[in-house]
Amino acid sequence: MGHSSLEKIIALQRNPENIRNLCILAHVDHGKTTLADCLVASNGIISSRLAGKLRYLDSREDEQLRGITMKSSAISLHFTQGEKEYLVNLIDSPGHVDFSSEVSTAVRLCDGAIVVVDAVEGVCPQTQVVLRQAWLENIRPVLVINKIDRLIIELKLTSQEAYAHLQKILEQVNAVTGTLFTSKVLEERAEKDSEEKESDLSGDQVYDWSAGLEEADDSNLYFSPDQGNVVFASAIDGWGFSIQQFAQIYSQRMGIRAEVLLKTLWGDFYLNAKAKKIMKGAQAKGKKPLFVQLVLDNIWSLYDAVVTRRDKEKVEKVVTSLGVKVMARDTRHSDPKVLLSAICSQWLPVSQAVLSMVCEKLPSPLDMAAERVEKLMSVGARRFDSLPEETQELKKAFLQCSSQENAPVIIFVSKMFAVDTKALPQYRQRPLTQEEIAQRRELARQRHADRMAADQSAADLAKYDSTTQDGQTASLTVKEPKPEEDEQQKETFIAFARVYSGVVKRGQRVFVLGPKYDPAQGLSMLPEGCTATDSVPEVPHLSCCTMGNLYLLMGRELEELEEVPCGNVLGIGGLEEYVLKSATLSTSPACPPFTPLNFEATPIVRVAIEPKHPSEMPKLVRGMRLLNQADPCAEVLIQETGEHVLVTAGEVHLQRCLDDLRDRFAKIEISASKPIIPFRETVIRPPKVDMVNEEMGKQQKVAIIHQVKEESSQARTSDTLQVDPSGLVTLTTPNRLATVSIRAIPLPEEVTRLLDGSLELIRTLEQVNMSLREGRSLDISTRTLEAIEGLKAKLEGLLQGRKWRNAVDRIWAFGPRRYGPNLLLNNVDSYQRPSVWQCLFKGNKPSKPAPQAALRDFDNSIISGFQLATLSGPMCEEPLMGVCFSVERWDIQASTPLQQQDSVEEDSISHESSEDSRAEGGSEMDEQGEGPAAGPNQAKRRPEAGPADCYGPVSGQLIAATKEACRQAFQAQPQRLMAAMYTCDIMATAEVLGRVYGVLGKREGRVLHEEMKEGTDMFIIKAVLPVAESFGFADEIRKRTSGLASPQLVFSHWEVISSDPYWVPTTEEEYLHFGEKADSANQALKIHERRPPP
């Protein structure tokens, strides 16, 4: 299928019922790209002989060198089954953990997925991750168990053993799916229970012990060959089959109905030759299961004849009985795999098995679930039914997948990718017509005749000729800069997108909806019936753009299109100025932005980048901007020091980004620093043992703590700062108007872990509280409310004891950035402020807490100071983690010096009212006319003075004072660094196990557990490894084990480094053990010194 099929694909795009959008998901090296090659070869785009060797969809040079996929790329295939013709939009995705963000971009655009599992390795960590990603996006998976040839050639299993092994793999995959399904059912059950409680509060309640799993229908959920959603394959040898194919073959030969064979080919059934019946209980009676007898034995005997024994006579018999034609050169070939591939690709072509399963089992764009649509349209805490009516109407457009003229256009762009401008169809060299060839021939003849005439005209004009040549070279040198200008535009960005509704046309005007766009606000600000072609008033997070060229994505090539109907995947040009990484485009302003993509990998590895020649800095800045747009996971930052920092997901990802920057985007020589390792800073409870593991006696322990406290307090006590021995820090602002007292307390480890895992929920809670403070009503989904309630309950359960009494209700703020794993507690006796949990009892207590719980004027200044303090700690300017700052005193005097233009009379009134309000334990908001002492004069004047106060010198000084008090309180406690940790999954054979442990031990790694994979000689080792020690780890493991072990590193958690970076020996034993400086054994000090200065 060459270029002529473009018209066919355009015709198929108009029938959404026969479109299948799917991606290939798997662990690294499980055979995704090889399988994709086989499917591409079925369309004649590449030779079937090159399938698996060419890796057609790996178009980057480094992908071919490393042998792994690094980006998701799409191709459209045409497949005919019976009388029906299908268009399969296939997206190949990476399996390496560093590029899991590319998987997220692919999954969002699809309705189904092919999950590929290696028959030897089984379910690996990344297999579980991709299954979860598919589940979160509500897309239906089918399973391909690949590399079955390895069971025959490498493991040398018998067909019976291989059957048992395949059953175990199916159980493993179904166990992962079952876990996801169970958690979903239990969540729905909890929601249902909460609704029933609200509706039925009276009468006797009978508790139902069933969790709802019995009623839930999971019949279509699991992978089972008899359901037709499993294919057994060896993509490298070109064969694959489903049970249906063999059921058809044997129903004709044996005279048994295909339906019966379909149910019995997989399972504990055997063929009773005497009775000529299929019977149950093969295992109990020691009989061969039907699947082994009729399917696997045939494949095993074929491999035995062709690969193992190379028996020519038997091969000829097999070829004759199968009715396939094999070319003479294939039979004579020295590599038996060539002959095997030639036989299998005709007998059981893998493309036929996989594509027929895809077309039968995976949904079309018309079958999109209503639940998925609502999930896509409900951003953050918003309930779908709380969205405007016009927005809810768009759900019908999604479900109908209509391509009519009046249907609203809705497109989601999942990523932007860069292509060489020369690769675009409009710049591609096209074959010349006969007329053009004749015209060019005539021009060439004419030029040749002119040249000959000029040469023969005058030999004495040689001097003139040389000057003209100089003139030509001069003109060439003048034109030379032009290619450099073109070089700037060498990379063109194309949006990787899918049309969910309507027809997209080239040159069409659409709205670009930012992630924070609110359709209710947009509809209220825009005139009714407004379209993107009209002159649109300014609306927050809404802009208009014109569609550039539309492209059909064909792997390494692009084909130009005039229009694309709904349900199709496409490329869109001309959006680089409007879309950074992902966006929602629509002709209707009522369309909400889609929910953000679920990224599994966290960008953690950062390097500082600078050009080799400082004059090329503008090129570097432009190159990093392009890289940021082209990579869904990479982040580009400019630090306060002016350094340009690149943050990536791992070592392989970092290398790819640096290569792209050097060769594609900046095109300059760059130098990258050593990776900057992120740390966190925390405080701990005073240690019970010293550095030589001797328990500190009470007197000695207290003495050391007092010594440290006294030293710190002597060093830091001034007229505005006081540190008492208990660690309470009191700080007064320079203008003497405000005083704060703050204490730092370490949070329990479980609380820190809970807060770190609930960042998105805390961010949502903060958004809800902000809207409540601004007086805006926000309809929150019951699921979000339940999650917030659950978070509060968990915190109450974990924060137990006298020290934490009522602590959860007294939470003032989370930090840094208002949603981090640190707490600010309000322990000021005279200050009752609204709770951060007010959204939970908004319905129950509508106005009760309002009069007594009000915000003081400078409440936000305290929060801002806390946010700044937690964002960069005093040890090495890294964010804090697991620290609770308790504000125990906050005094603020009357702000008379600020309002010098005010009269003396007003000063006395405000002074009296502030004293009254403080005496009553109220807040400064009472002064604004709510308190009993507020006079008429004050009611008039204070609203004018209030805003000036909140943004004046007092506010700034209070922010600085709070920040400094938090830092000093932090330093008054035992300080520690926290290191970022990777979980490391390693698959290794028994003979290299010792070497793997050696490398892990050398790099401060800790083995958590190891287990042997059943049926193989492979061990699975799970370990944790500091990110600081991970660079070059994968290469070292591969070198030491001769490539027999390969690690997968995924960021896991933060771990406290037990040693104090500022520790010095104090006892005689410590001096003897560590020496005077004690710098050899202090891991925290080593890390601290290795960090670049902030």
Side-chain angles (χ1 to χ4, degrees):
M1 183 177 121
H3 295 288
S4 60
S5 64
L6 181 62
E7 292 77 22
K8 186 74 188 167
I9 286 177
I10 292 169
L12 287 167
Q13 282 186 335
R14 295 195 174 91
N15 182 10
E17 191 185 345
N18 287 359
I19 294 173
R20 299 290 182 271
N21 297 315
L22 60 116
C23 53
I24 305 182
L25 308 175
H27 187 79
V28 67
D29 287 335
H30 278 204
K32 295 179 299 301
T33 308
T34 306
L35 178 64
D37 266 10
C38 294
L39 304 184
V40 170
S42 71
N43 272 226
I45 297 168
I46 63 170
S47 161
S48 58
R49 288 174 178 275
L50 292 175
K53 300 176 187 73
L54 186 64
R55 300 208 309 278
Y56 181 70
L57 293 179
D58 286 355
S59 52
R60 291 171 58 97
E61 192 181 344
D62 48 1
E63 287 181 315
Q64 292 286 346
L65 282 170
R66 284 182 181 268
I68 59 169
T69 305
M70 295 186 182
K71 60 167 189 350
S72 47
S73 42
I75 192 163
S76 294
L77 304 174
H78 171 216
F79 176 65
T80 307
Q81 189 175 29
E83 293 178 5
K84 283 191 175 182
E85 289 186 297
Y86 293 92
L87 175 66
V88 178
N89 294 318
L90 179 76
I91 304 175
D92 183 26
S93 64
H96 196 285
V97 67
D98 282 11
F99 307 106
S100 59
S101 58
E102 291 278 349
V103 179
S104 302
T105 62
V107 165
R108 172 57 62 89
L109 304 185
C110 295
D111 302 308
I114 300 172
V115 177
V116 183
V117 176
D118 187 323
V120 173
E121 294 182 7
V123 174
C124 292
Q126 205 61 19
T127 315
Q128 297 181 18
V129 170
V130 295
L131 278 167
R132 185 165 69 249
Q133 281 178 304
W135 181 268
L136 289 171
E137 288 288 347
N138 280 40
I139 69 170
R140 193 182 299 167
V142 290
L143 183 67
V144 173
I145 298 179
N146 193 22
K147 302 193 183 184
I148 290 182
D149 59 296
R150 290 183 68 192
L151 300 179
I152 308 169
I153 294 164
E154 286 180 31
L155 299 187
K156 295 184 168 48
L157 300 182
T158 63
S159 53
Q160 183 84 34
E161 290 166 343
Y163 172 65
H165 185 76
L166 292 172
Q167 278 185 314
K168 278 175 191 157
I169 288 175
L170 268 172
E171 282 169 17
Q172 289 170 7
V173 180
N174 286 333
V176 176
T177 315
T179 309
L180 295 166
F181 174 71
T182 306
S183 61
K184 183 191 174 190
V185 171
L186 293 176
E187 271 178 32
E188 286 172 356
R189 176 65 191 230
E191 274 182 40
K192 193 176 166 189
D193 285 353
S194 64
E195 283 168 17
E196 283 172 4
K197 275 180 195 171
E198 286 169 17
S199 61
D200 182 27
L201 292 170
S202 60
D204 298 330
Q205 287 201 350
V206 179
Y207 187 75
D208 180 11
W209 287 96
S210 71
L213 287 169
E214 293 80 7
E215 301 87 41
D217 179 28
D218 61 350
S219 56
N220 297 320
L221 179 74
Y222 298 113
F223 299 107
S224 178
D226 54 1
Q227 283 190 14
N229 58 3
V230 179
V231 160
F232 303 93
S234 169
I236 197 75
D237 290 339
W239 62 265
F241 64 88
S242 60
I243 295 274
Q244 281 84 339
Q245 285 171 276
F246 276 97
Q248 293 294 334
I249 293 167
Y250 283 111
S251 68
Q252 293 165 7
R253 286 191 184 178
M254 299 166 69
I256 301 171
R257 281 183 301 135
E259 296 80 34
V260 174
L261 277 171
L262 201 59
K263 287 177 183 174
T264 55
L265 259 177
W266 182 264
D268 193 27
F269 298 94
Y270 72 97
L271 185 66
N272 189 328
K274 288 180 183 176
K276 292 188 178 178
K277 282 183 181 178
I278 294 171
M279 304 180 83
K280 205 170 183 181
Q283 194 175 357
K285 292 172 185 173
K287 303 282 187 182
K288 264 190 188 179
L290 214 56
F291 185 72
V292 176
Q293 190 177 350
L294 300 185
V295 180
L296 293 186
D297 278 352
N298 291 321
I299 294 166
W300 256 246
S301 60
L302 177 64
Y303 269 82
D304 181 57
V306 178
V307 181
T308 313
R309 285 202 246 153
R310 302 197 186 187
D311 187 339
K312 286 186 180 178
E313 288 178 14
K314 194 172 180 186
V315 169
E316 282 172 17
K317 281 182 186 175
V318 168
V319 168
T320 311
S321 66
L322 292 175
V324 296
K325 290 180 182 177
V326 179
M327 295 171 79
R329 66 175 182 182
D330 289 337
T331 53
R332 288 197 300 268
H333 204 285
S334 59
D335 184 3
K337 282 288 189 104
V338 173
L339 175 59
L340 181 76
S341 185
I343 297 169
C344 292
S345 58
Q346 293 177 64
W347 176 40
L348 298 169
V350 66
S351 56
Q352 180 70 31
V354 172
L355 290 175
S356 58
M357 171 176 72
V358 159
C359 295
E360 282 174 28
K361 295 295 170 186
L362 294 186
S364 72
L366 290 173
D367 302 326
M368 187 184 277
E371 184 189 356
R372 186 183 179 198
V373 174
E374 290 184 14
K375 202 172 174 184
L376 285 175
M377 295 173 79
S378 306
V379 180
R382 296 294 294 270
R383 276 206 320 262
F384 178 74
D385 53 14
S386 72
L387 294 167
E389 279 182 32
E390 295 95 322
T391 304
Q392 292 185 45
E393 285 293 314
L394 290 176
K395 181 181 170 183
K396 290 178 186 171
F398 269 97
L399 297 173
Q400 287 169 357
C401 197
S402 170
S403 298
Q404 293 173 0
E405 287 295 320
N406 59 352
V409 173
I410 302 169
I411 305 162
F412 181 73
V413 175
S414 71
K415 70 167 182 171
M416 302 290 286
F417 65 96
V419 293
D420 195 325
T421 306
K422 288 176 188 170
L424 295 176
Q426 54 265 43
Y427 300 113
R428 195 189 302 146
Q429 287 185 337
R430 57 187 177 79
L432 298 172
T433 60
Q434 289 297 324
E435 293 81 10
E436 285 172 328
I437 291 168
Q439 199 177 354
R440 289 194 179 194
R441 192 187 298 122
E442 194 57 46
L443 279 169
R445 278 181 186 159
Q446 188 66 44
R447 274 201 302 270
H448 183 67
D450 291 348
R451 201 181 301 122
M452 294 297 287
D455 287 348
Q456 291 170 8
S457 60
D460 59 325
L461 294 176
K463 191 179 179 183
Y464 175 72
D465 289 342
S466 65
T467 56
T468 52
Q469 281 175 2
D470 289 343
Q472 283 172 355
T473 54
S475 67
L476 282 172
T477 51
V478 170
K479 288 181 182 176
E480 251 180 13
K482 220 172 185 181
E484 280 185 23
E485 290 166 24
D486 293 345
E487 220 171 79
Q488 296 289 323
Q489 298 302 321
K490 205 176 175 189
E491 297 292 334
T492 304
F493 277 93
I494 291 175
F496 189 45
R498 173 176 166 180
V499 188
Y500 283 90
S501 171
V503 180
V504 187
K505 295 177 182 172
R506 185 161 51 176
Q508 191 174 16
R509 293 279 291 171
V510 291
F511 293 111
V512 181
L513 315 171
K516 292 183 180 176
Y517 172 70
D518 183 1
Q521 186 186 13
L523 289 167
S524 63
M525 293 175 75
L526 292 169
E528 201 170 330
C530 177
T531 62
T533 49
D534 306 333
S535 57
V536 179
E538 201 168 308
V539 177
H541 312 293
L542 179 81
S543 58
C544 295
C545 76
T546 305
M547 291 282 186
N549 290 322
L550 306 179
Y551 300 105
L552 174 69
L553 304 169
M554 291 297 288
R556 299 181 183 189
E557 294 180 359
L558 300 166
E559 298 289 349
E560 225 170 339
L561 301 171
E562 285 299 316
E563 61 176 45
V564 180
C566 66
N568 287 288
V569 175
L570 77 159
I572 307 171
L575 296 181
E576 54 261 38
E577 298 298 322
Y578 304 96
V579 178
L580 179 62
K581 296 197 183 208
S582 65
T584 310
L585 314 176
S586 179
T587 51
S588 165
C591 181
F594 282 24
T595 50
L597 296 164
N598 299 302
F599 287 151
E600 292 285 332
T602 314
I604 193 95
V605 180
R606 50 178 69 202
V607 290
I609 293 172
E610 59 182 28
K612 282 271 173 75
H613 307 292
S615 60
E616 293 177 327
M617 182 57 90
K619 287 185 180 177
L620 176 70
V621 172
R622 180 181 171 279
M624 289 190 79
R625 182 172 57 79
L626 295 176
L627 175 67
N628 185 40
Q629 192 168 16
D631 195 302
C633 192
E635 292 175 11
V636 172
L637 315 168
I638 298 177
Q639 291 191 324
E640 291 172 7
T641 54
E643 277 183 316
H644 289 78
V645 174
L646 175 65
V647 193
T648 59
E651 209 176 345
V652 182
H653 187 211
L654 171 65
Q655 194 56 51
R656 190 196 79 171
C657 288
L658 292 176
D659 289 346
D660 276 356
L661 200 57
R662 200 177 287 116
D663 302 333
R664 294 179 70 188
F665 299 128
K667 291 192 173 63
I668 56 169
E669 282 297 311
I670 57 172
S671 55
S673 71
K674 284 185 177 176
I676 304 163
I677 311 302
F679 289 96
R680 294 289 181 266
E681 301 179 25
T682 190
V683 292
I684 60 165
R685 297 177 68 186
K688 291 180 180 175
V689 293
D690 63 12
M691 286 293 282
V692 286
N693 285 337
E694 287 192 8
E695 193 171 338
M696 289 193 269
K698 199 171 182 184
Q699 292 173 338
Q700 182 194 8
K701 185 167 124 183
V702 170
I704 289 173
I705 291 169
H706 277 300
Q707 178 193 341
V708 173
K709 294 274 165 50
E710 279 164 23
E711 282 174 9
S712 61
S713 58
Q714 281 167 13
R716 292 190 295 241
T717 302
S718 65
D719 55 343
T720 57
L721 170 69
Q722 289 171 349
V723 184
D724 77 354
S726 68
L728 183 69
V729 174
T730 305
L731 198 78
T732 308
T733 55
N735 59 11
R736 313 283 178 180
L737 290 180
T739 305
V740 286
S741 294
I742 295 176
R743 187 192 306 278
I745 309 163
L747 282 172
E749 194 181 331
E750 298 81 12
V751 175
T752 309
R753 210 176 297 128
L754 175 65
L755 293 175
D756 196 36
S758 313
L759 296 182
E760 283 302 317
L761 187 62
I762 297 169
R763 184 187 284 180
T764 305
L765 176 66
E766 178 56 34
Q767 286 169 354
V768 170
N769 285 337
M770 195 174 286
S771 63
L772 288 172
R773 281 198 295 275
E774 291 169 3
R776 288 188 288 121
S777 63
L778 191 69
D779 290 314
I780 313 161
S781 65
T782 49
R783 183 174 288 188
T784 307
L785 276 174
E786 278 171 18
I788 293 170
E789 205 167 334
L791 175 66
K792 188 187 177 195
K794 282 177 190 169
L795 282 172
E796 283 169 346
L798 293 169
L799 292 172
Q800 295 289 343
R802 186 173 54 83
K803 184 171 64 174
W804 300 108
R805 192 175 296 144
N806 300 327
V808 178
D809 292 320
R810 288 187 280 109
I811 292 173
W812 196 331
F814 300 89
R817 298 189 181 91
R818 295 182 179 265
Y819 58 89
N822 302 287
L823 296 180
L824 181 67
L825 284 191
N826 173 21
N827 277 330
V828 183
D829 295 334
S830 60
Y831 183 29
Q832 299 286 317
R833 70 185 301 280
S835 168
V836 291
W837 313 103
Q838 57 187 322
C839 61
L840 294 177
F841 43 74
K842 191 178 65 157
N844 303 342
K845 306 177 203 170
S847 57
K848 199 177 173 186
Q852 47 181 310
L855 292 174
R856 282 196 191 180
D857 270 353
F858 297 107
D859 180 274
N860 214 33
S861 301
I862 297 281
I863 294 173
S864 299
F866 162 72
Q867 301 298 341
L868 289 170
T870 51
L871 192 59
S872 58
M875 292 168 81
C876 45
E877 301 299 323
E878 290 283 357
L880 304 189
M881 190 170 190
V883 185
C884 171
F885 290 104
S886 169
V887 183
E888 303 196 354
R889 177 184 163 203
W890 176 25
D891 296 334
I892 190 155
Q893 296 174 22
S895 53
T896 45
L898 292 176
Q899 306 295 331
Q900 290 182 4
Q901 71 271 25
D902 291 354
S903 62
V904 178
E905 181 185 329
E906 189 203 345
D907 280 354
S908 61
I909 290 169
S910 64
H911 186 69
E912 285 165 21
S913 65
S914 68
E915 281 182 357
D916 288 348
S917 65
R918 243 183 300 156
E920 289 170 18
S923 71
E924 286 221 353
M925 201 170 271
D926 295 339
E927 296 171 27
Q928 296 179 14
E930 289 181 278
N937 238 349
Q938 187 198 357
K940 262 183 255 170
R941 304 297 294 274
R942 275 300 282 180
E944 294 168 15
D949 286 354
C950 286
Y951 298 102
V954 176
S955 173
Q957 289 191 10
L958 187 55
I959 290 171
T962 307
K963 178 189 173 186
E964 188 56 32
C966 288
R967 287 172 79 101
Q968 296 290 356
F970 181 91
Q971 287 175 301
Q973 302 295 332
Q975 308 165 61
R976 293 291 184 271
L977 283 175
M978 294 180 85
M981 302 297 281
Y982 277 138
T983 50
C984 173
D985 291 287
I986 307 171
M987 293 191 75
T989 53
E991 57 265 26
V992 297
L993 215 53
R995 293 177 203 167
V996 170
Y997 279 12
V999 177
L1000 278 168
K1002 177 181 152 189
R1003 291 174 175 265
E1004 314 267 352
R1006 252 187 3 263
V1007 175
L1008 300 179
H1009 64 82
E1010 65 165 55
E1011 59 178 327
M1012 192 172 187
K1013 215 164 180 55
E1014 268 188 274
T1016 69
D1017 61 344
M1018 302 290 281
F1019 280 85
I1020 299 172
I1021 304 153
K1022 199 171 185 71
V1024 287
L1025 182 79
V1027 173
E1029 301 289 344
S1030 68
F1031 301 102
F1033 173 71
D1035 287 342
E1036 189 178 356
I1037 282 244
R1038 274 195 284 272
K1039 280 176 192 166
R1040 292 286 302 276
T1041 62
S1042 308
L1044 292 172
S1046 56
Q1048 282 266 309
L1049 298 170
V1050 188
F1051 174 70
S1052 167
H1053 64 286
W1054 298 91
E1055 197 170 278
V1056 177
I1057 300 169
S1058 56
S1059 50
D1060 180 359
Y1062 301 123
W1063 175 79
V1064 288
T1066 50
T1067 65
E1068 196 174 333
E1069 288 87 352
E1070 288 173 346
Y1071 269 113
L1072 284 168
H1073 197 278
F1074 295 109
E1076 198 174 324
K1077 289 186 178 175
D1079 52 1
S1080 60
N1082 195 335
Q1083 190 197 352
L1085 182 66
K1086 281 184 203 169
I1087 291 167
H1088 193 273
E1089 286 172 349
R1090 201 162 56 186
R1091 286 191 79 264

